[in-house]
Amino acid sequence: MLGTKTRLATATALALTTLTALAGAAQAAPVDQVRIELLELTCHQQSEGDHDEAYIKITDANGNQIKVWPGSAKYQTMGTNYVRSLTDANGNAALVLGRDQARTLTLWDDDTTSGDDKLGATLVTGSEADAEIQYRSLEGSGGVYTIAYRVIDI
């Protein structure tokens, strides 16, 4: 009879330990993710004579550069006073990050004769969620651009 009571006590203790562990896991903070929603790119001054061949990359969580715009072409032609929608990039998984993380958006000019030219970069943080639309200036290699985006909860 003593063996049965011991086994019952051990089983009860094990069940309580398991329930406590499960309760702790249930109380763990959920991963708070946000998404960068790209809106618009405006060229105030192209970096080259007639136009730039622009594309945007984002640095992912592993430090890799991932092209996000344009989604269906190698680049988008940009000239002074051109305004382009960036919405075709918004399905890219690289635009998702934690509220406590940051990503760098970099604008590039495709160059077939030499290395691509960096036209500017900006740091976007997950803590910008629920803020107004952000407008950031991007400047490099003689080009001057403005990128519009917002960070939204998902």
Side-chain angles (χ1 to χ4, degrees):
M1 188 79 167
L2 186 58
T4 303
K5 286 184 181 181
T6 303
R7 281 191 300 250
L8 184 58
T10 301
T12 302
L14 182 59
L16 287 174
T17 302
T18 303
L19 285 174
T20 302
L22 289 174
Q27 293 176 3
V31 176
D32 195 10
Q33 291 190 319
V34 297
R35 181 170 49 87
I36 300 168
E37 185 177 65
L38 298 176
L39 302 173
E40 193 172 84
L41 182 66
T42 303
C43 177
H44 304 287
Q45 178 180 322
Q46 74 257 12
S47 70
E48 298 178 335
D50 56 348
H51 62 272
D52 292 332
E53 296 83 23
Y55 65 95
I56 297 173
K57 287 186 171 183
I58 189 167
T59 304
D60 71 7
N62 298 317
N64 301 312
Q65 290 271 323
I66 309 293
K67 181 180 164 283
V68 294
W69 179 84
S72 59
K74 185 174 180 182
Y75 58 81
Q76 181 68 53
T77 301
M78 295 293 294
T80 299
N81 298 320
Y82 283 33
V83 179
R84 300 281 189 202
S85 171
L86 301 176
T87 58
D88 71 329
N90 290 328
N92 196 305
L95 295 169
V96 175
L97 64 151
R99 190 177 276 271
D100 62 342
Q101 296 178 323
R103 299 285 187 272
T104 300
L105 290 171
T106 307
L107 178 63
W108 294 92
D109 177 41
D110 183 74
D111 234 336
T112 56
T113 59
S114 63
D116 292 357
D117 298 320
K118 185 176 177 181
L119 300 177
T122 189
L123 186 68
V124 179
T125 63
S127 63
E128 295 176 48
D130 304 323
E132 302 277 324
I133 294 174
Q134 303 295 308
Y135 297 91
R136 300 282 177 86
S137 179
L138 305 172
E139 296 185 31
S141 296
V144 180
Y145 287 80
T146 300
I147 189 169
Y149 70 89
R150 64 180 160 219
V151 179
I152 58 174
D153 281 315
I154 55 173

